[in-house]
């Protein structure tokens, strides 16, 4: 096999770097010295190359080198000529994510976006250089473009982070399949879909922070004669810091295949200006309508001024949008199987209020775009409720987001679904709990039986979804007295569906963020469970060692705990408890007569063993098991990680012990 000179030198350099990493030269010197010593005897002979190779083989050094070399079959570059397939050699690095090879369809148009590095992230100006092997905070860049999602490798946080990645985006027209013609420059000019960039910071304890959310208009590349352009993107902060620069990314855009004809920069800027004016006019008309609608609502009753009727909400960039624009029909494909599983998935995304600098009773309001919420994996109750409502709409339910208050008058949002029989069900998006609503009849006789309130919600001001906005104009906004008959105009005042559609429908003339698809989980639940269980065993053993207690594990008892953890997660998903009888029977068989069994299950949303163990020790029941003293003490621990879309995790741990009862 002959190689071009530049490829041969490149291959030699790869081999040399790999041998240096293994310290192969030091090992060879050791074997050489040992072989020479052994051969300096009475029957001393000269050491041949074959003898030395046999010595290296005996010591397993050749096997060590060869086991890291893998061969993959690459598709022939020129299938028409029938050129033979050649093996591609590479060295497998266990800690480096292998790049996936992408087959480019020559009949399709692609946009290659390269991030060439970051700078001016001044918040990390004093960040020290991370030492090799040291855990440090990282930046991860996420992209979404026309139902395609990508993420970069995490890089250490720094003033000039080493964010260098390439993303191949397919530019395809809606409704045209794989056999469609290649999109031309005029069609691309009319595509106002922007590339959504989301930068996430992950700290050493795996806590995530939204650094920036940026919408990139890629059509400037259409005016480049070379089909390639490079420019700087200034990322702004989020929330209360949305006017403050967070940093700068250098971005390169390139079209494949290159354009045969290009557009002038004036044509592109004119098209963008026309789109902005069209959007601004629609938003202005809706604002005029909303003000008129609000005046009519206040004229019904003076008390309506204090009701929680939320028409507009600000996103992470401080852009104000109608609340209906945050809800869409979202189908999860094969990733979620039922509405209740969807509710479980949403509840696994952590709840966190938007941070604000300084004190004050008022919370910082921030309704995140769906992409930012999914990438960060945490958000406020509004983010959870709009996502759950979108998923329930995708499952064909008549779902709405409710805006109101819960105990102590705290503002809250939750989800409501209406059955075809008129039944009303409340869904708490933070916990996946469901409550069947039955209204109290205020005109009923005093002694007539009335249903007891089952939900934690106190008042409701308005409900909405992607097509409907309804304000509660009943005499009382108390949930227990509300009748959710949305067709009754004397109880619910509706906004015009045409007006809402003009600013909330996902059509090409709106400024709404594109709707991202859910991503399948990349975590291996079995591997994650095993790893967390090993770490938990180590922490328990070390803790007991500090107390001068021995630790003896019962592997059989640990295995038996799996069925209980599986039943707990199934109950959270479906609301149905099952399998408890089999677990109890198995434990009775595993615990001998005269012995006592104790178990303590606990649930987490993360896979950090130290954080989980510290939390567990705060419980006196868990501490009693972990620090158990007695005769013939045997300990058990079992971990089950249940993985959902977006790598949302339900982590169940169960600690158990059995010991001989001594009176």
């Amino acid at each position: 096999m002959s190689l071009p000179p530049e490829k041969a030198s490149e291959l030699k350099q790869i081999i040399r770097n790999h041998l240096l990493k293994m310290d192969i030269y030091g090992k060879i010197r050791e074997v050489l010295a040992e072989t020479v010593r052994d051969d300096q005897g009475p029957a001393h002979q000269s050491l041949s190359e074959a003898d030395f190779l046999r010595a290296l083989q005996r010591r397993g050094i050749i096997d060590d080198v060869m086991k890291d070399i893998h061969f993959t079959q690459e598709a022939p570059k020129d299938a028409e000529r029938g050129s033979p397939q050649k093996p591609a050699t590479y060295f497998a690095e266990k800690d480096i994510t292998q790049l996936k090879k992408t087959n480019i369809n020559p009949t399709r148009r692609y946009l290659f976006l390269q991030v060439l590095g970051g700078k001016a992230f001044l918040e990390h100006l004093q960040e020290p250089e991370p030492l090799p092997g040291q855990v440090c905070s990282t930046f991860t860049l996420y992209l979404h473009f026309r139902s395609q999602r990508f993420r970069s490798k995490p890089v250490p946080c720094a003033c000039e982070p080493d964010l260098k990645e390439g993303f191949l985006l397919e530019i395809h027209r809606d409704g045209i399949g794989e056999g469609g013609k290649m999109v031309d420059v005029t069609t691309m000019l009319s595509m106002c879909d922007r590339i959504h960039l989301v930068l996430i910071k992950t700290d050493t304890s795996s806590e995530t922070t939204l650094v920036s959310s940026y919408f990139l208009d890629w059509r400037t590349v259409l005016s480049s004669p070379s089909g390639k352009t490079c420019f700087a993107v200034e990322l702004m902060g989020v929330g209360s810091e949305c006017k403050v620069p967070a940093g700068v990314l250098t971005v390169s855009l390139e079209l494949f295949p290159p354009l045969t004809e290009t557009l002038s920069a004036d044509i592109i800027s004119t098209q963008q200006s026309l789109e902005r004016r069209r959007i601004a006019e629609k938003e202005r008309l809706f604002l005029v309508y909303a003000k008129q609608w609000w005046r009519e609502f206040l004229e019904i009753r003076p008390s309506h001024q204090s009701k929680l009727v939320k028409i507009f909400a600000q996103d992470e960039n401080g852009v104000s949008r109608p609340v209906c624009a945050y809800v869409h029909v979202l189908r999860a494909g094969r990733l979620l199987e039922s509405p209740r599983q969807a509710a479980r998935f949403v509840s696994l995304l952590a709840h966190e209020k938007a941070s604000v600098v300084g004190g004050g009773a008022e919370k910082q309001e921030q309704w995140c775009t769906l992409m930012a919420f999914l990438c960060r994996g945490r958000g406020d109750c509004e983010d959870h409720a709009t996502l759950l409502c979108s998923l329930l709409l995708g499952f064909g339910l008549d779902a709405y987001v409710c805006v109101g208050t819960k105990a102590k008058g705290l503002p809250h949002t939750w989800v409501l679904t209406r059955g075809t029989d008129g039944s009303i069900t409340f869904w708490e998006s933070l916990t996946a709990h469901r409550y069947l609503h039955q209204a109290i009849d205020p005109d009923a006789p005093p002694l007539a039986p009335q249903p007891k309130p089952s939900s934690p919600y106190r008042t409701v001001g308005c409900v909405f979804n992607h097509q409907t906005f309804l304000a509660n104009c009943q005499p009382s906004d108390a949930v227990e007295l509300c009748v959710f008959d949305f067709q009754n105009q004397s109880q619910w005042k509706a906004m015009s569906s045409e007006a809402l559609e003009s600013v909330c429908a996902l059509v090409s003339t709106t400024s709404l963020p594109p709707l991202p698809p859910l991503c399948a989980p990349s975590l291996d639940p079995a591997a994650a469970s095993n790893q967390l269980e090993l770490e938990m065993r180590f922490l328990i053993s070390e803790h007991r060692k500090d107390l001068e207690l021995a630790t003896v594990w019962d592997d059989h008892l640990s295995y038996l705990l799996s069925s209980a953890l599986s039943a707990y997660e199934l109950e959270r998903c479906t609301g149905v408890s099952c399998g408890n009888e089999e677990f109890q029977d198995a434990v009775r068989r595993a615990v001998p007569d005269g012995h006592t069994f104790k178990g303590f299950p606990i649930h987490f949303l993360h896979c950090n063993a130290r954080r989980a163990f510290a939390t567990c020790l705060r419980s006196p029941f868990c501490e009693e098991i972990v620090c158990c003293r007695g005769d013939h003490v045997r300990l058990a621990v079992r971990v089950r990680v249940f993985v959902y879309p977006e790598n949302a995790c339900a982590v169940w741990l169960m600690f158990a012990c059995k010991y001989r009862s001594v009176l």
Side-chain angles (χ1 to χ4, degrees), residues 115-408:
V115 180
L116 304 175
K119 58 186 176 182
F121 286 84
L122 300 180
E123 190 176 331
H124 302 278
L125 190 60
Q126 305 298 326
E127 201 87 19
E129 279 287 324
L131 299 172
Q134 179 186 5
V135 178
C136 61
S137 301
T138 59
F139 282 140
T140 307
L141 184 67
Y142 295 82
L143 270 80
H144 172 229
F145 178 66
R146 296 175 71 84
S147 299
Q148 302 163 79
R149 286 182 59 183
F150 301 89
R151 59 174 288 180
S152 72
K153 298 192 300 287
V155 300
C157 293
C159 182
E160 296 186 357
D162 190 29
L163 276 166
K164 293 180 181 177
E165 289 279 350
F167 307 96
L168 192 66
L169 314 175
E170 185 178 356
I171 305 174
H172 51 76
R173 290 189 60 191
D174 296 330
I176 294 183
E178 290 296 324
K181 65 178 182 179
M182 184 179 296
V183 62
D184 57 20
V185 67
T186 308
T187 309
M188 286 192 285
L189 178 64
S190 66
M191 293 180 179
C192 56
D193 305 72
R194 295 167 296 172
I195 301 172
H196 193 178
L197 306 174
V198 175
L199 186 63
I200 300 291
K201 176 185 174 182
T202 307
D203 65 16
T204 52
S205 59
S206 302
E207 295 289 325
T208 54
T209 307
L210 178 61
V211 177
S212 184
S213 174
Y214 184 85
F215 293 93
L216 173 66
D217 195 328
W218 54 275
R219 289 175 292 180
T220 53
V221 74
L222 301 179
S223 65
S224 173
S226 63
K228 186 174 183 179
T229 181
C230 186
F231 51 90
V233 171
E234 185 178 42
L235 302 179
M236 307 303 285
V238 295
S240 58
E241 301 175 21
C242 63
K243 305 296 182 186
V244 181
V248 176
L249 291 180
T250 304
V251 173
S252 166
L253 297 175
E254 186 174 3
L255 283 171
F256 290 108
L259 294 172
T260 54
E261 57 174 333
T262 58
L263 301 174
S264 70
D266 291 341
I267 292 177
I268 296 172
S269 60
T270 302
Q271 172 72 14
Q272 292 170 337
S273 176
L274 184 65
E275 290 170 358
R276 283 194 295 268
R277 284 201 299 270
R278 199 177 296 162
I279 291 166
E281 179 62 16
K282 288 192 174 188
E283 291 176 345
R284 186 189 67 80
L285 290 174
F286 179 77
L287 183 59
V288 170
Y289 168 77
K291 287 181 177 179
Q292 177 62 30
W293 181 91
W294 177 245
R295 281 194 295 270
E296 294 171 0
F297 180 68
L298 293 182
E299 288 171 2
I300 298 173
R301 278 188 195 87
S303 61
H304 285 181
Q305 183 72 48
S306 60
K307 286 192 175 182
L308 277 174
V309 180
K310 186 80 176 167
I311 303 174
F312 294 94
Q314 287 189 344
D315 66 9
E316 67 267 19
N317 291 326
V319 178
S320 185
R321 292 193 176 90
V323 291
C324 296
Y326 291 87
V327 178
H328 312 279
V329 177
L330 181 60
R331 296 181 179 88
R334 301 283 183 183
L335 301 180
L336 295 170
E337 300 294 339
S338 68
R340 295 195 185 189
Q341 193 179 31
R344 176 61 173 157
F345 156 63
V346 175
S347 71
L348 294 175
L349 300 171
H351 175 225
E352 181 178 277
K353 297 183 184 298
S355 60
V356 60
V357 179
E362 291 294 324
K363 73 164 188 170
Q364 171 74 27
E365 185 177 84
Q366 177 179 303
W367 292 41
C368 280
T369 57
L370 181 55
M371 178 69 177
F373 178 41
L374 293 176
C375 294
R376 191 183 172 209
R378 58 180 62 239
D380 211 339
C381 59
E382 296 89 359
D383 305 321
H384 288 78
T386 52
L387 174 57
L388 177 57
C389 184
S390 299
L391 288 167
L392 296 184
L393 288 169
F395 277 108
L397 300 184
D398 188 19
Y400 302 82
V401 175
C402 299
V403 179
T405 62
K406 55 181 181 178
K408 300 180 182 178

Side-chain angles (χ1 to χ4, degrees), residues 537 552-559 590 634-637 658:
R537 283 197 176 201
V552 182
W553 295 103
D554 188 329
D555 292 334
H556 177 62
L557 185 59
S558 295
Y559 177 73
R634 296 292 181 268
L635 293 171
V637 64
K658 64 177 183 180

Side-chain angles (χ1 to χ4, degrees), residues 559-568 578-579 582-584 586 640:
Y559 177 73
L560 297 184
L561 305 179
S562 290
S563 61
L565 300 183
S566 182
Y568 297 152
C578 62
E582 292 90 343
F583 170 66
Q584 291 181 355
R640 283 292 306 274

